[in-house]
Amino acid sequence: DVIFQQICQLANCEDASAITESALDLLTTSVDASVASDKFLANVKDRLAAGSYNIDPTILAGLTSTQAAEYIVSTIVNTILPPMWYPDWTGANEGCINDGNEDSYMRLNPVGYYLFDTLESCCSKHYSWNYNQCARIEGSAIGPNGEALYYPDWEGENRSCKNDGRQPAYMSNYPEAWMFADLASCCEKRYHWNLDECMGSSTDAASAGSGNWYPDWEKSICVQDCVGASPCGGLAHNWDPQYPSAAACCDSKLNWVTDCNTKSTSASV
């Protein structure tokens, strides 16, 4: 038996395997050459003619050559190092894995860009947008005491922060970047241009709005900037033109609609 002991530098020990194969090839080549040499043949004859073998030298005269037989090689590679984490770009691409099957180009680059000692460091580098799912963190969209975190309502009215638990998945997956422990922090960071309204229009303190009127293009009427039953149409966006009355709104933006003012102010709308 010949044992090669090599400390792996790569998670799957591919480097140690390559060194072992090269050393084995060198060894077998050397053994083949030695066995086939005249010096080895003479040494074998001397050993057989002497000692306990005591074979007649005349009989050994017929021994003219020696050669190595076929080798049976078994290789066992063990690593004392844990597999390293790498981005799963060719798989689900939702996080990092450490199955030892990283691509060869990752192994050829310095540790710290493709290969990482910890899951967290790999996720921070390559999956910051999906960090919590990558790092196997659950329930991260709530505060330390179980309270709901605030997030900017970019997909809704886009004028305030909410804490209704309906934030987009990417915010839940990386709350450190998108979510806040309190309303003030969220408003100051994301709606500093609309701070007063943001502070009064979260899900736990609805805003009354300005009371002005603005056009609802889908319904072809004017609605009021407030939250509640008709004629309230919800809080106006900052790009909505606003008017002090339904009549002024209708005359300016919906003058082609018959009875616009009556339809707009009707409680049944």
Side-chain angles (χ1 to χ4, degrees):
D1 292 337
V2 178
I3 299 175
F4 294 97
Q5 184 174 4
Q6 170 71 24
I7 296 178
C8 303
Q9 299 298 319
L10 299 177
N12 64 355
C13 276
E14 186 178 82
D15 56 330
S17 297
I19 294 174
T20 300
E21 290 173 3
S22 298
L24 182 61
D25 181 66
L26 176 62
L27 176 63
T28 55
T29 300
S30 299
V31 170
D32 287 345
S34 297
V35 171
S37 68
D38 292 338
K39 183 177 180 179
F40 182 83
L41 176 61
N43 191 24
V44 169
K45 287 183 177 181
D46 290 343
R47 293 290 185 92
L48 292 176
S52 61
Y53 299 106
N54 196 24
I55 298 177
D56 188 341
T58 58
I59 297 177
L60 295 175
L63 181 59
T64 59
S65 65
T66 54
Q67 66 180 29
E70 181 181 355
Y71 298 98
I72 298 177
V73 179
S74 61
T75 302
I76 299 175
V77 177
N78 294 317
T79 176
I80 60 174
L81 301 178
M84 301 191 75
W85 297 91
Y86 66 94
D88 185 28
W89 290 328
T90 59
N93 197 25
E94 295 179 345
C96 298
I97 56 179
N98 66 337
D99 57 5
N101 294 321
E102 64 273 7
D103 291 328
S104 57
Y105 74 87
M106 295 184 178
R107 304 179 196 130
L108 296 175
N109 285 273
V111 172
Y113 189 79
Y114 293 120
L115 301 179
F116 302 84
D117 292 329
T118 66
L119 173 62
E120 292 76 14
S121 56
C122 180
C123 292
S124 294
K125 182 70 176 180
H126 295 294
Y127 290 97
S128 59
W129 55 272
N130 194 38
Y131 180 83
N132 285 350
Q133 182 176 349
C134 176
R136 285 68 160 170
I137 298 175
E138 298 181 358
S140 56
I142 59 175
N145 298 317
E147 70 276 15
L149 298 179
Y150 288 84
Y151 67 95
D153 185 29
W154 289 330
E155 297 182 4
E157 295 290 330
N158 194 24
R159 300 177 68 85
S160 64
C161 295
K162 293 183 176 181
N163 66 338
D164 55 7
R166 297 180 179 178
Q167 64 276 358
Y170 72 88
M171 293 185 181
S172 296
N173 286 331
Y174 196 20
E176 293 86 352
W178 307 112
M179 305 187 73
F180 303 85
D182 55 75
L183 176 62
S185 298
C186 182
C187 290
E188 290 170 1
K189 180 69 174 181
R190 302 301 183 189
Y191 291 103
H192 57 87
W193 51 271
N194 193 41
L195 186 59
D196 290 342
E197 183 178 334
C198 179
M199 290 295 295
S201 61
S202 67
T203 55
D204 54 359
S207 172
S210 66
N212 291 328
W213 295 77
Y214 64 95
D216 183 329
W217 303 108
E218 293 185 0
K219 296 180 179 179
S220 296
I221 60 173
C222 287
V223 294
Q224 202 165 13
D225 178 25
C226 57
V227 177
S230 179
C232 291
L235 299 178
H237 294 93
N238 56 358
W239 57 80
D240 288 321
Q242 298 187 39
Y243 300 89
S245 66
C249 175
C250 287
D251 289 343
S252 177
K253 297 299 180 182
L254 298 171
N255 54 15
W256 48 270
V257 177
T258 302
D259 296 328
C260 173
N261 184 50
T262 300
K263 293 177 180 178
S264 299
T265 56
S266 173
S268 62
V269 175

